[in-house]
Amino acid sequence: MASNKDGDPSLGYLTRKDTEVKLPRPTRVKNKTPAPIQITAEQILREARERQEADIRPPKQKITDSTELGDYRLRKRKEFEDLIRRVRWNISVWIKYAQWEESQKDFNRARSVWERALEVDYRNHTLWLKYAEVEMKNKFINHARNVWDRAVTLLPRVDQLWYKYIHMEEMLGNIAGARQIFERWMGWMPDQQGWLSYIKFELRYNEVERARGIFERFVQCHPKVSAWIRFAKFEMKNGEVARARNVYEKAVQKLADDEEAEMLFVAFAEFEERCKETERARCIYKFALDHIPKGRAEDLYRKFVAFEKQYGDKEGIEDAIVGKRRFQYEDEVRKNPLNYDAWFDYIRLEESVTNKVRIREVYERAIANVPPAQEKRYWQRYIYLWINYALYEELDAEDIERTREVYRECLNLIPHEKFSFAKIWLLAAQFEIRQLNLNGARQVLGNAIGKAPKDKIFKKYIEIELQLGNIDRCRKLYEKYLEWSPENCYAWSKYAELERSLSETERARSIFELAIAQPALDMPELLWKAYIDFEISEGEYDRTRELFERLLDRTKHLKVWISCAKFEASAMEEQNLCIQNARRVFEKALNYFRMSAPELKEERAMLLDEWLDMEKSFGQLGDVSLVEPKLPKKLKKRKQIASEDGLAGYEEYIDYVFPEEAHAHNLKILEKAREWKRQRLASGADD
């Protein structure tokens, strides 16, 4: 037990206390005020650097005689050769070897090393550069020329070799040699910088004619806008204005369709501007704006507007501003060709300028953007492009044949089997009428009725024929109209009205009879009203009564009853008889609402109000006492409002209580009272 207490077998009979790792207790900083002398990180690093021990370097070897020098050279060469044998393709080793041989003034051995290195990788232009620099540094000029000549022959596309070769010859004063090297280089058609270097070389020695010849070859080799502009600026710098203009003109002929043509035109115009040739500059700007695509002419427009503001008159400035707006519209329609509002704005702009060719071009481009889907909602804006085009050709351009062609093309384009536009047909017909071409107008409207009949077309066609006095044509058109739309009450009424205006009463009556016999009508009440008004105007009161009876057989609407009563009251007969007939109609109507439609209390109350007003209007002949006892009482009641969640509250409504209903209600109360009394008497007898 004692041993268990003293030590743990798993711990080698050591106590827990013996095996505890005692960590140093963290010192608490009692004084947190800053020290009087502050030590920076820089001081710590400097002190560490000072205390650092010096590097161990091999001792310097001093060579005292030729034997030691020979041994050193032999050992060093052996090291280089061994290294080259291991890493033959490492060019830096070859360069170090050759430079070491050079440092030993053994140039033949150095050349040998360079030549061996070039055999390994002659495409490495760094080798050639360092080889030639060694020869130049040690003033072996012919050797250097030989190296450069071989280098540019093997690597003619490395510009640095040519530059170094030419620079060496120029430093030696061998101008003819340098020119000859340039000519060799130009035979390889280098990039622009090479040609420009050749030109600068000639200009350094005032060889202007030679430089001009090089420029001509340069623009043939690199036919770019920047090259031609440099050529023109060169001529301008030398005071050759005519030559500079000739250069610009040649450039325009060759590069008018180039992507960078905008830059060329701007430079040409600015050149003319500097020469005080403002008209020439204006012509260049306008030519450029007509030929360059609008998407690439933003800078050109800006420069043109600035030019016009500086040199132009009011008209020129306006023209420049129009050009700028034209550019904006071109950008919009290029992004979204189906944005017809942008096309309308663009056309309005061109019409303000009154350039017929440009206006027609914009119209043709606009109408070429046909809506992709054959749905009327997509065509509603598009069709106005055609309308505006036709109106422009007729009113502004005054080209009748072209206007007719526009209408014809538009009507051929519209898919009439799916939808049509009555407006286009009518405009085309009205145009023909303005040209006194009645047959053409009839043909257009006839085609419209055949392909896409519409109410507007029938109405306008009938109106035209009626104005011309062609009654038979009007009748045929009405027949076609009613054959196409037999439920159209407007057409029936107008047809009957036409016959009535011609005093064809029987024909008008027959038309009305046919109309009311149709199984389906869109507005039958208007048709019946027109028929009744027709009979009243003809003084046929018996026929009118018969019509009212036939109408009441079909419908018992409140308005029909009231109309019938008013007719009877205003019939041109004996007044007492009229009043009796009107009262009879009201009685009949009241009886219907009381017996057959008791739920229509509001209509019944309105009927009684109308009857009361009519009796008052009769004056002394009227009898208000016939109506007043029948008038209902208005009661304000509440009823529950039901919703999906249950009861939502109450709402007030007006209820009408008629006299017979009140009497019946009182009788029910008396009956219940008698029953209650009988029950009381029966219970008393039992007690």
Side-chain angles (χ1 to χ4, degrees):
M1 292 296 288
S3 62
N4 288 341
K5 287 181 180 178
D6 294 336
D8 189 352
S10 63
L11 299 175
Y13 294 100
L14 295 173
T15 61
R16 296 282 180 183
K17 192 173 182 180
D18 294 335
T19 57
E20 281 181 358
V21 178
K22 294 181 180 179
L23 297 172
R25 192 169 59 184
T27 56
R28 290 176 62 192
V29 180
K30 294 180 181 178
N31 185 7
K32 295 185 179 180
T33 56
I37 299 173
Q38 295 291 319
I39 300 173
T40 62
E42 184 184 355
Q43 287 174 322
I44 295 169
L45 290 172
R46 194 185 298 120
E47 192 174 323
R49 178 72 177 171
E50 289 171 357
R51 293 183 181 180
Q52 192 174 3
E53 294 180 359
D55 294 336
I56 300 172
R57 296 177 183 175
K60 290 183 179 180
Q61 184 180 4
K62 290 183 180 179
I63 298 171
T64 55
D65 57 6
S66 59
T67 306
E68 287 182 0
L69 180 61
D71 290 342
Y72 165 71
R73 286 176 175 173
L74 182 63
R75 186 174 67 253
K76 200 71 176 170
R77 283 177 184 136
K78 187 175 184 305
E79 287 175 3
F80 275 119
E81 290 292 342
D82 290 341
L83 192 57
I84 287 169
R85 205 175 293 115
R86 287 199 305 272
V87 286
R88 179 180 174 80
W89 299 101
N90 193 339
I91 299 301
S92 62
V93 175
W94 288 101
I95 292 171
K96 287 177 182 177
Y97 190 7
Q99 287 174 344
W100 181 82
E101 291 290 0
E102 181 200 353
S103 68
Q104 300 301 311
K105 304 298 180 183
D106 195 340
F107 297 110
N108 288 328
R109 282 182 175 276
R111 288 190 191 101
S112 175
V113 173
W114 286 117
E115 294 294 338
R116 286 167 63 195
L118 289 172
E119 286 178 5
V120 172
D121 186 10
Y122 74 91
R123 290 188 181 86
N124 191 334
H125 67 278
T126 308
L127 274 176
W128 291 103
L129 289 171
K130 291 193 177 292
Y131 188 7
E133 283 172 3
V134 167
E135 297 290 7
M136 289 162 61
K137 187 169 65 176
N138 293 288
K139 299 182 180 179
F140 297 112
I141 303 303
N142 287 329
H143 280 287
R145 281 193 182 120
N146 184 22
V147 172
W148 287 126
D149 198 74
R150 288 164 60 201
V152 298
T153 304
L154 292 171
L155 302 173
R157 292 297 177 194
V158 181
D159 294 347
Q160 193 176 4
L161 298 174
W162 292 102
Y163 284 126
K164 292 279 188 181
Y165 192 6
I166 293 162
H167 181 66
M168 183 190 80
E169 294 294 354
E170 195 174 356
M171 290 296 102
L172 294 170
N174 186 8
I175 307 304
R179 186 175 290 121
Q180 189 176 3
I181 296 164
F182 263 124
E183 286 296 333
R184 281 179 63 192
W185 188 15
M186 296 306 112
W188 288 98
M189 294 184 179
D191 60 4
Q192 291 193 23
Q193 197 57 44
W195 288 94
L196 294 174
S197 299
Y198 192 8
I199 291 164
K200 287 176 183 176
F201 167 77
E202 294 293 359
L203 291 175
R204 278 199 295 274
Y205 300 101
N206 296 320
E207 295 286 349
V208 177
E209 283 301 323
R210 284 181 179 275
R212 184 174 290 119
I214 296 164
F215 256 123
E216 289 174 357
R217 290 160 59 195
F218 171 39
V219 295
Q220 295 299 324
C221 180
H222 295 282
K224 292 185 178 180
V225 170
S226 57
W228 284 99
I229 291 174
R230 283 179 184 275
F231 190 8
K233 285 182 177 178
F234 160 76
E235 296 291 5
M236 189 66 183
K237 190 175 180 180
N238 291 301
E240 298 285 349
V241 176
R243 284 179 182 273
R245 185 175 289 122
N246 188 32
V247 169
Y248 275 121
E249 287 171 357
K250 284 182 180 178
V252 169
Q253 289 175 3
K254 290 179 179 293
L255 303 174
D257 299 327
D258 192 78
E259 288 185 359
E260 297 179 344
E262 179 192 9
M263 192 192 309
L264 175 64
F265 284 114
V266 169
F268 194 4
E270 288 177 347
F271 159 76
E272 295 292 0
E273 194 178 335
R274 283 194 295 274
C275 297
K276 309 299 181 186
E277 296 283 352
T278 54
E279 283 303 317
R280 280 177 175 271
R282 184 176 287 111
C283 290
I284 291 164
Y285 275 124
K286 290 184 177 179
F287 177 82
L289 291 172
D290 290 338
H291 286 77
I292 293 179
K294 302 299 183 290
R296 301 205 304 261
E298 188 174 354
D299 187 49
L300 189 64
Y301 274 112
R302 190 169 60 252
K303 292 282 178 65
F304 182 40
V305 172
F307 170 81
E308 286 293 348
K309 286 180 180 177
Q310 187 173 358
Y311 299 104
D313 53 5
K314 182 180 178 182
E315 185 179 349
I317 294 169
E318 287 178 356
D319 188 40
I321 292 169
V322 165
K324 189 173 182 181
R325 287 174 60 197
R326 186 181 291 130
F327 169 75
Q328 293 170 352
Y329 288 134
E330 282 287 348
D331 189 47
E332 284 185 32
V333 298
R334 179 172 52 82
K335 289 177 182 174
N336 183 10
L338 299 177
N339 183 3
Y340 299 121
D341 290 329
W343 283 111
F344 284 126
D345 294 338
Y346 193 4
I347 290 164
R348 203 174 296 117
L349 172 69
E350 294 297 350
E351 287 179 347
S352 67
V353 181
T354 64
N355 184 340
K356 283 187 181 180
V357 177
R358 192 181 282 277
I359 292 168
R360 282 174 176 158
E361 179 197 347
V362 176
Y363 266 121
E364 291 293 339
R365 287 172 57 200
I367 61 177
N369 297 295
V370 182
Q374 291 188 352
E375 294 182 28
K376 191 167 184 177
R377 59 196 176 100
Y378 296 120
W379 287 64
Q380 283 173 338
R381 292 294 290 161
Y382 170 71
I383 210 69
Y384 277 96
L385 288 171
W386 286 96
I387 293 171
N388 290 353
Y389 191 9
L391 293 175
Y392 166 77
E393 291 292 353
E394 181 186 0
L395 302 176
D396 294 345
E398 297 180 354
D399 191 334
I400 305 305
E401 284 303 318
R402 198 176 178 90
T403 307
R404 190 172 283 119
E405 184 64 26
V406 169
Y407 278 123
R408 191 181 300 119
E409 288 295 326
C410 178
L411 291 171
N412 290 336
L413 182 66
I414 298 169
H416 299 290
E417 65 279 359
K418 293 188 177 179
F419 58 86
S420 186
F421 293 93
K423 187 184 289 291
I424 287 289
W425 291 106
L426 295 177
L427 286 170
Q430 288 164 350
F431 161 73
E432 296 294 353
I433 290 170
R434 285 194 294 275
Q435 307 311 313
L436 305 179
N437 183 7
L438 287 177
N439 289 331
R442 284 180 178 134
Q443 187 178 0
V444 170
L445 292 171
N447 287 337
I449 290 172
K451 289 183 179 179
K454 285 179 173 288
D455 286 331
K456 286 183 182 178
I457 296 171
F458 277 111
K459 290 174 185 176
K460 194 66 181 177
Y461 197 179
I462 291 166
E463 182 187 338
I464 291 168
E465 295 295 354
L466 195 58
Q467 287 173 350
L468 294 170
N470 294 323
I471 304 303
D472 290 336
R473 282 184 179 273
C474 289
R475 284 174 176 154
K476 285 181 182 177
L477 286 171
Y478 270 121
E479 288 170 8
K480 288 280 185 185
Y481 193 0
L482 293 169
E483 185 182 336
W484 171 67
S485 177
E487 73 282 353
N488 193 331
C489 292
Y490 172 85
W492 287 107
S493 301
K494 286 293 179 181
Y495 191 8
E497 189 179 324
L498 170 68
E499 296 294 353
R500 183 189 165 199
S501 66
L502 299 170
S503 300
E504 294 283 354
T505 308
E506 288 302 320
R507 288 180 70 94
R509 188 173 286 120
S510 300
I511 290 165
F512 274 124
E513 287 293 336
L514 281 172
I516 62 176
Q518 295 299 317
L521 294 168
D522 54 0
M523 289 187 291
E525 64 278 4
L526 295 180
L527 185 64
W528 280 94
K529 186 178 184 306
Y531 193 4
I532 289 166
D533 290 343
F534 163 73
E535 293 293 2
I536 292 171
S537 64
E538 293 294 324
E540 297 286 347
Y541 298 119
D542 292 336
R543 286 180 180 275
T544 307
R545 287 190 185 94
E546 185 186 346
L547 273 178
F548 268 119
E549 288 173 4
R550 288 165 64 187
L551 180 56
L552 287 168
D553 288 340
R554 294 194 180 194
T555 176
K556 297 289 194 297
H557 196 275
L558 173 66
K559 289 185 178 180
V560 178
W561 288 109
I562 293 172
S563 298
C564 184
K566 285 182 177 179
F567 158 70
E568 292 292 358
S570 61
M572 302 297 292
E573 296 176 353
E574 188 182 348
Q575 194 168 9
N576 286 327
L577 183 59
C578 291
I579 293 170
Q580 292 298 324
N581 289 339
R583 285 172 181 163
R584 194 178 300 112
V585 172
F586 274 120
E587 288 286 354
K588 200 172 179 181
L590 199 61
N591 189 46
Y592 165 74
F593 282 113
R594 185 171 60 246
M595 303 302 293
S596 301
E599 69 280 358
L600 301 176
K601 292 185 176 183
E602 190 173 355
E603 285 78 355
R604 185 176 166 191
M606 289 169 67
L607 182 71
L608 286 167
D609 289 338
E610 285 287 340
W611 189 1
L612 183 62
D613 292 341
M614 188 175 287
E615 291 291 349
K616 289 177 181 177
S617 67
F618 290 151
Q620 293 180 354
L621 297 175
D623 189 358
V624 180
S625 61
L626 291 173
V627 185
E628 286 179 344
K630 298 175 181 179
L631 290 174
K633 289 182 180 179
K634 288 184 181 180
L635 297 178
K636 192 179 286 186
K637 294 185 177 181
R638 293 171 65 194
K639 65 179 179 181
Q640 291 180 342
I641 302 173
S643 64
E644 294 180 358
D645 300 332
L647 295 177
Y650 294 88
E651 69 172 356
E652 292 185 348
Y653 69 98
I654 302 296
D655 192 17
Y656 296 92
V657 179
F658 291 91
E660 65 271 16
E661 290 178 354
H663 183 63
H665 184 64
N666 292 336
L667 289 175
K668 283 181 182 179
I669 291 172
L670 288 172
E671 185 63 34
K672 286 186 178 181
R674 288 195 192 97
E675 187 179 350
W676 176 77
K677 190 174 181 182
R678 281 198 299 271
Q679 288 176 358
R680 288 292 303 275
L681 290 171
S683 62
D686 291 340
D687 293 340

